[in-house]
PDB file of all heavy atoms in Angstrom:
ATOM      1  N   GLN A 245     -25.421  -2.896  -8.050  1.00 94.00           N
ATOM      2  CA  GLN A 245     -24.741  -1.638  -8.182  1.00 94.00           C
ATOM      3  C   GLN A 245     -23.298  -1.695  -7.543  1.00 94.00           C
ATOM      4  O   GLN A 245     -22.720  -0.712  -7.349  1.00 94.00           O
ATOM      5  CB  GLN A 245     -25.612  -0.592  -7.488  1.00 94.00           C
ATOM      6  CG  GLN A 245     -25.735  -0.731  -6.056  1.00 94.00           C
ATOM      7  CD  GLN A 245     -26.676   0.360  -5.417  1.00 94.00           C
ATOM      8  OE1 GLN A 245     -27.835   0.166  -5.354  1.00 94.00           O
ATOM      9  NE2 GLN A 245     -26.209   1.457  -5.042  1.00 94.00           N
ATOM     10  N   SER A 246     -22.710  -2.944  -7.430  1.00 96.00           N
ATOM     11  CA  SER A 246     -21.355  -2.930  -6.930  1.00 96.00           C
ATOM     12  C   SER A 246     -20.580  -4.070  -7.508  1.00 96.00           C
ATOM     13  O   SER A 246     -21.020  -4.926  -8.199  1.00 96.00           O
ATOM     14  CB  SER A 246     -21.501  -3.069  -5.387  1.00 96.00           C
ATOM     15  OG  SER A 246     -22.038  -4.484  -4.994  1.00 96.00           O
ATOM     16  N   ASP A 247     -19.208  -4.052  -7.088  1.00 96.00           N
ATOM     17  CA  ASP A 247     -18.397  -5.169  -7.395  1.00 96.00           C
ATOM     18  C   ASP A 247     -18.276  -6.151  -6.360  1.00 96.00           C
ATOM     19  O   ASP A 247     -17.799  -7.330  -6.592  1.00 96.00           O
ATOM     20  CB  ASP A 247     -16.980  -4.652  -7.832  1.00 96.00           C
ATOM     21  CG  ASP A 247     -17.028  -3.651  -8.834  1.00 96.00           C
ATOM     22  OD1 ASP A 247     -17.338  -3.936 -10.027  1.00 96.00           O
ATOM     23  OD2 ASP A 247     -16.689  -2.472  -8.654  1.00 96.00           O
ATOM     24  N   MET A 248     -18.533  -5.879  -5.098  1.00 97.00           N
ATOM     25  CA  MET A 248     -18.422  -6.624  -3.924  1.00 97.00           C
ATOM     26  C   MET A 248     -19.521  -6.185  -3.014  1.00 97.00           C
ATOM     27  O   MET A 248     -19.917  -5.062  -2.860  1.00 97.00           O
ATOM     28  CB  MET A 248     -17.045  -6.545  -3.374  1.00 97.00           C
ATOM     29  CG  MET A 248     -16.757  -7.378  -2.054  1.00 97.00           C
ATOM     30  SD  MET A 248     -15.238  -6.958  -1.248  1.00 97.00           S
ATOM     31  CE  MET A 248     -14.119  -7.739  -2.296  1.00 97.00           C
ATOM     32  N   VAL A 249     -20.166  -7.174  -2.237  1.00 97.00           N
ATOM     33  CA  VAL A 249     -21.073  -6.836  -1.179  1.00 97.00           C
ATOM     34  C   VAL A 249     -20.536  -7.245   0.260  1.00 97.00           C
ATOM     35  O   VAL A 249     -20.112  -8.305   0.401  1.00 97.00           O
ATOM     36  CB  VAL A 249     -22.322  -7.419  -1.488  1.00 97.00           C
ATOM     37  CG1 VAL A 249     -23.403  -7.103  -0.329  1.00 97.00           C
ATOM     38  CG2 VAL A 249     -22.986  -7.066  -2.776  1.00 97.00           C
ATOM     39  N   LEU A 250     -20.668  -6.304   1.227  1.00 97.00           N
ATOM     40  CA  LEU A 250     -20.438  -6.748   2.665  1.00 97.00           C
ATOM     41  C   LEU A 250     -21.746  -6.500   3.422  1.00 97.00           C
ATOM     42  O   LEU A 250     -22.311  -5.391   3.354  1.00 97.00           O
ATOM     43  CB  LEU A 250     -19.304  -5.690   3.268  1.00 97.00           C
ATOM     44  CG  LEU A 250     -18.063  -5.785   2.474  1.00 97.00           C
ATOM     45  CD1 LEU A 250     -16.992  -4.759   3.270  1.00 97.00           C
ATOM     46  CD2 LEU A 250     -17.322  -6.996   2.354  1.00 97.00           C
ATOM     47  N   SER A 251     -22.255  -7.497   3.984  1.00 96.00           N
ATOM     48  CA  SER A 251     -23.301  -7.394   4.956  1.00 96.00           C
ATOM     49  C   SER A 251     -22.968  -7.835   6.385  1.00 96.00           C
ATOM     50  O   SER A 251     -22.039  -8.574   6.451  1.00 96.00           O
ATOM     51  CB  SER A 251     -24.592  -8.066   4.444  1.00 96.00           C
ATOM     52  OG  SER A 251     -24.303  -9.543   4.626  1.00 96.00           O
ATOM     53  N   SER A 252     -23.418  -7.207   7.332  1.00 94.00           N
ATOM     54  CA  SER A 252     -23.017  -7.632   8.699  1.00 94.00           C
ATOM     55  C   SER A 252     -24.335  -8.062   9.533  1.00 94.00           C
ATOM     56  O   SER A 252     -25.374  -7.442   9.314  1.00 94.00           O
ATOM     57  CB  SER A 252     -22.380  -6.528   9.413  1.00 94.00           C
ATOM     58  OG  SER A 252     -23.290  -5.386   9.654  1.00 94.00           O
ATOM     59  N   GLY A 253     -24.189  -9.209  10.139  1.00 89.00           N
ATOM     60  CA  GLY A 253     -25.282  -9.776  10.949  1.00 89.00           C
ATOM     61  C   GLY A 253     -26.088 -10.799   9.931  1.00 89.00           C
ATOM     62  O   GLY A 253     -25.874 -10.881   8.809  1.00 89.00           O
ATOM     63  N   GLY A 254     -26.887 -11.683  10.694  1.00 78.00           N
ATOM     64  CA  GLY A 254     -27.764 -12.600   9.922  1.00 78.00           C
ATOM     65  C   GLY A 254     -26.976 -13.777   9.324  1.00 78.00           C
ATOM     66  O   GLY A 254     -27.592 -14.443   8.518  1.00 78.00           O
ATOM     67  N   VAL A 255     -25.821 -14.032   9.778  1.00 77.00           N
ATOM     68  CA  VAL A 255     -25.079 -15.284   9.140  1.00 77.00           C
ATOM     69  C   VAL A 255     -24.886 -16.330  10.262  1.00 77.00           C
ATOM     70  O   VAL A 255     -24.057 -17.338   9.985  1.00 77.00           O
ATOM     71  CB  VAL A 255     -23.856 -14.909   8.563  1.00 77.00           C
ATOM     72  CG1 VAL A 255     -24.098 -13.995   7.420  1.00 77.00           C
ATOM     73  CG2 VAL A 255     -22.866 -14.038   9.510  1.00 77.00           C
ATOM     74  N   SER A 256     -25.405 -16.260  11.368  1.00 67.00           N
ATOM     75  CA  SER A 256     -25.134 -17.262  12.341  1.00 67.00           C
ATOM     76  C   SER A 256     -26.416 -18.320  12.251  1.00 67.00           C
ATOM     77  O   SER A 256     -26.846 -18.534  11.095  1.00 67.00           O
ATOM     78  CB  SER A 256     -25.230 -16.692  13.683  1.00 67.00           C
ATOM     79  OG  SER A 256     -24.744 -17.531  14.764  1.00 67.00           O
ATOM     80  N   VAL A 257     -26.668 -18.913  13.305  1.00 59.00           N
ATOM     81  CA  VAL A 257     -27.701 -19.985  13.239  1.00 59.00           C
ATOM     82  C   VAL A 257     -29.030 -19.744  13.959  1.00 59.00           C
ATOM     83  O   VAL A 257     -29.795 -20.642  14.302  1.00 59.00           O
ATOM     84  CB  VAL A 257     -27.019 -21.323  13.863  1.00 59.00           C
ATOM     85  CG1 VAL A 257     -25.852 -21.817  12.956  1.00 59.00           C
ATOM     86  CG2 VAL A 257     -26.586 -21.202  15.254  1.00 59.00           C
ATOM     87  N   GLY A 258     -29.229 -18.493  14.195  1.00 61.00           N
ATOM     88  CA  GLY A 258     -30.415 -18.057  14.897  1.00 61.00           C
ATOM     89  C   GLY A 258     -31.691 -17.973  13.944  1.00 61.00           C
ATOM     90  O   GLY A 258     -31.533 -18.171  12.783  1.00 61.00           O
ATOM     91  N   ASP A 259     -32.907 -17.846  14.607  1.00 60.00           N
ATOM     92  CA  ASP A 259     -34.015 -17.863  13.863  1.00 60.00           C
ATOM     93  C   ASP A 259     -34.214 -16.739  12.931  1.00 60.00           C
ATOM     94  O   ASP A 259     -35.114 -16.727  11.924  1.00 60.00           O
ATOM     95  CB  ASP A 259     -35.207 -17.907  14.892  1.00 60.00           C
ATOM     96  CG  ASP A 259     -35.332 -19.172  15.714  1.00 60.00           C
ATOM     97  OD1 ASP A 259     -34.755 -20.178  15.324  1.00 60.00           O
ATOM     98  OD2 ASP A 259     -36.059 -19.164  16.712  1.00 60.00           O
ATOM     99  N   TYR A 260     -33.494 -15.699  13.179  1.00 55.00           N
ATOM    100  CA  TYR A 260     -33.690 -14.479  12.254  1.00 55.00           C
ATOM    101  C   TYR A 260     -32.431 -14.135  11.278  1.00 55.00           C
ATOM    102  O   TYR A 260     -32.255 -13.251  10.879  1.00 55.00           O
ATOM    103  CB  TYR A 260     -33.705 -13.191  13.056  1.00 55.00           C
ATOM    104  CG  TYR A 260     -35.028 -13.190  13.957  1.00 55.00           C
ATOM    105  CD1 TYR A 260     -35.068 -13.647  15.206  1.00 55.00           C
ATOM    106  CD2 TYR A 260     -36.337 -12.762  13.345  1.00 55.00           C
ATOM    107  CE1 TYR A 260     -36.235 -13.749  16.030  1.00 55.00           C
ATOM    108  CE2 TYR A 260     -37.502 -12.803  14.088  1.00 55.00           C
ATOM    109  CZ  TYR A 260     -37.405 -13.274  15.411  1.00 55.00           C
ATOM    110  OH  TYR A 260     -38.614 -13.254  16.182  1.00 55.00           O
ATOM    111  N   ASP A 261     -31.608 -15.263  11.184  1.00 73.00           N
ATOM    112  CA  ASP A 261     -30.482 -15.349  10.399  1.00 73.00           C
ATOM    113  C   ASP A 261     -30.769 -15.797   8.974  1.00 73.00           C
ATOM    114  O   ASP A 261     -30.780 -17.003   8.834  1.00 73.00           O
ATOM    115  CB  ASP A 261     -29.271 -16.091  10.965  1.00 73.00           C
ATOM    116  CG  ASP A 261     -28.786 -15.400  12.279  1.00 73.00           C
ATOM    117  OD1 ASP A 261     -28.796 -14.249  12.372  1.00 73.00           O
ATOM    118  OD2 ASP A 261     -28.435 -16.214  13.219  1.00 73.00           O
ATOM    119  N   TYR A 262     -31.091 -14.873   7.965  1.00 84.00           N
ATOM    120  CA  TYR A 262     -31.733 -15.353   6.774  1.00 84.00           C
ATOM    121  C   TYR A 262     -30.699 -15.170   5.605  1.00 84.00           C
ATOM    122  O   TYR A 262     -30.975 -15.583   4.522  1.00 84.00           O
ATOM    123  CB  TYR A 262     -32.676 -14.474   6.403  1.00 84.00           C
ATOM    124  CG  TYR A 262     -33.972 -14.462   7.349  1.00 84.00           C
ATOM    125  CD1 TYR A 262     -34.358 -13.228   8.177  1.00 84.00           C
ATOM    126  CD2 TYR A 262     -34.622 -15.704   7.609  1.00 84.00           C
ATOM    127  CE1 TYR A 262     -35.390 -13.245   9.051  1.00 84.00           C
ATOM    128  CE2 TYR A 262     -35.754 -15.496   8.530  1.00 84.00           C
ATOM    129  CZ  TYR A 262     -36.045 -14.438   9.209  1.00 84.00           C
ATOM    130  OH  TYR A 262     -37.112 -14.422  10.195  1.00 84.00           O
ATOM    131  N   VAL A 263     -29.463 -14.655   5.932  1.00 87.00           N
ATOM    132  CA  VAL A 263     -28.626 -14.300   4.788  1.00 87.00           C
ATOM    133  C   VAL A 263     -28.238 -15.535   3.835  1.00 87.00           C
ATOM    134  O   VAL A 263     -28.372 -15.530   2.546  1.00 87.00           O
ATOM    135  CB  VAL A 263     -27.334 -13.634   5.217  1.00 87.00           C
ATOM    136  CG1 VAL A 263     -26.309 -13.515   3.971  1.00 87.00           C
ATOM    137  CG2 VAL A 263     -27.721 -12.204   5.855  1.00 87.00           C
ATOM    138  N   ASP A 264     -27.861 -16.624   4.424  1.00 88.00           N
ATOM    139  CA  ASP A 264     -27.365 -17.719   3.583  1.00 88.00           C
ATOM    140  C   ASP A 264     -28.544 -18.244   2.633  1.00 88.00           C
ATOM    141  O   ASP A 264     -28.308 -18.568   1.685  1.00 88.00           O
ATOM    142  CB  ASP A 264     -26.887 -18.975   4.533  1.00 88.00           C
ATOM    143  CG  ASP A 264     -25.548 -18.609   5.155  1.00 88.00           C
ATOM    144  OD1 ASP A 264     -25.005 -17.420   4.772  1.00 88.00           O
ATOM    145  OD2 ASP A 264     -24.942 -19.372   5.863  1.00 88.00           O
ATOM    146  N   ARG A 265     -29.725 -18.313   3.324  1.00 88.00           N
ATOM    147  CA  ARG A 265     -30.833 -18.910   2.521  1.00 88.00           C
ATOM    148  C   ARG A 265     -31.228 -17.928   1.435  1.00 88.00           C
ATOM    149  O   ARG A 265     -31.501 -18.491   0.303  1.00 88.00           O
ATOM    150  CB  ARG A 265     -32.016 -19.005   3.513  1.00 88.00           C
ATOM    151  CG  ARG A 265     -33.194 -19.779   2.853  1.00 88.00           C
ATOM    152  CD  ARG A 265     -34.350 -19.859   3.746  1.00 88.00           C
ATOM    153  NE  ARG A 265     -35.136 -18.513   3.923  1.00 88.00           N
ATOM    154  CZ  ARG A 265     -35.961 -18.203   4.870  1.00 88.00           C
ATOM    155  NH1 ARG A 265     -36.216 -18.952   5.779  1.00 88.00           N
ATOM    156  NH2 ARG A 265     -36.603 -17.041   4.780  1.00 88.00           N
ATOM    157  N   ILE A 266     -31.164 -16.621   1.638  1.00 91.00           N
ATOM    158  CA  ILE A 266     -31.547 -15.661   0.614  1.00 91.00           C
ATOM    159  C   ILE A 266     -30.464 -15.722  -0.599  1.00 91.00           C
ATOM    160  O   ILE A 266     -30.746 -15.668  -1.696  1.00 91.00           O
ATOM    161  CB  ILE A 266     -31.597 -14.180   1.165  1.00 91.00           C
ATOM    162  CG1 ILE A 266     -32.960 -14.183   2.076  1.00 91.00           C
ATOM    163  CG2 ILE A 266     -31.646 -13.276   0.112  1.00 91.00           C
ATOM    164  CD1 ILE A 266     -33.019 -12.926   2.885  1.00 91.00           C
ATOM    165  N   LEU A 267     -29.053 -15.807  -0.213  1.00 92.00           N
ATOM    166  CA  LEU A 267     -28.129 -15.964  -1.227  1.00 92.00           C
ATOM    167  C   LEU A 267     -28.366 -17.133  -2.151  1.00 92.00           C
ATOM    168  O   LEU A 267     -28.291 -17.117  -3.356  1.00 92.00           O
ATOM    169  CB  LEU A 267     -26.665 -15.989  -0.606  1.00 92.00           C
ATOM    170  CG  LEU A 267     -26.210 -14.793   0.156  1.00 92.00           C
ATOM    171  CD1 LEU A 267     -24.979 -15.161   0.819  1.00 92.00           C
ATOM    172  CD2 LEU A 267     -26.051 -13.723  -0.981  1.00 92.00           C
TER     173      LEU A 267
END
Side-chain angles (χ1 to χ4, degrees):
Q245 61 186 97
S246 68
D247 303 296
M248 178 191 289
V249 180
L250 307 180
S251 67
S252 61
V255 292
S256 192
V257 292
D259 292 344
Y260 296 94
D261 295 323
Y262 301 118
V263 170
D264 289 2
R265 189 183 77 194
I266 290 170
L267 290 171

